[in-house]
Amino acid sequence: MRIRSWATAVTAAACCVLPLAGPATAEDKPARGVAWSASHETATASGGRWVERSTGGQLQVVVEGRLANTGEGCYSVWARWQFDFVPTPPRKQATVCGNDTADIRLSQSYMPTTTGSVAVCKGTENTRDCGPWQSLTSWPVTRP
């Protein structure tokens, strides 16, 4: 019993001391929430996703990240959502052309029957030439 109490005290102390370390720089700061990523050819999008309550009390899936391209041509991030069994058309969220980056931020109302996914596609007009669609609502999705 004495060993268990000592181990609990050490664990609690570590939890209190670790946050006292210096703040993370932008380069080593982890994504908020649950990480996501998608890519196609020379473009990659990645970031974090989580669920939060809006000011009106409704649950929202929030997605943040960055689209980066290391080659030529234009690439876009597209998101699509499905509510119950009703899909919505994909919507473009960000575009880069050439060696560039763009921020991504979107939110969508969420219910247990909501599913969402994201893909990186070549071009700016449609989703005909895309990498694999990646889930935005696979669990666990945690708060940041």
Side-chain angles (χ1 to χ4, degrees):
M1 188 67 154
R2 189 175 198 95
I3 292 174
R4 185 179 296 158
S5 297
W6 181 81
T8 302
V10 168
T11 303
C15 292
C16 294
V17 172
L18 288 176
L20 297 177
T25 64
E27 292 80 31
D28 62 6
K29 184 177 179 182
R32 291 176 65 185
V34 176
W36 64 270
S37 67
S39 63
H40 185 54
E41 296 178 351
T42 61
T44 301
S46 62
R49 59 196 164 90
W50 61 92
V51 175
E52 67 185 23
R53 288 208 182 270
S54 68
T55 54
Q58 186 177 14
L59 286 176
Q60 302 277 315
V61 175
V62 179
V63 180
E64 288 184 347
R66 180 164 283 229
L67 170 62
N69 184 25
T70 58
E72 296 185 17
C74 295
Y75 291 86
S76 300
V77 170
W78 294 76
R80 65 182 178 194
W81 300 93
Q82 182 168 321
F83 304 95
D84 294 324
F85 296 106
V86 181
T88 62
R91 289 188 179 170
K92 184 169 44 173
Q93 303 300 318
T95 297
V96 294
C97 292
N99 188 3
D100 200 3
T101 62
D103 289 334
I104 302 164
R105 177 156 171 83
L106 65 122
S107 63
Q108 179 62 56
S109 61
Y110 172 76
M111 295 177 42
T113 56
T114 303
T115 57
S117 55
V118 67
V120 175
C121 303
K122 190 171 189 172
T124 62
E125 299 300 316
N126 57 53
T127 58
R128 291 189 189 130
D129 184 4
C130 302
W133 287 86
Q134 303 296 323
S135 177
L136 293 174
T137 51
S138 59
W139 304 108
V141 174
T142 58
R143 298 181 88 173

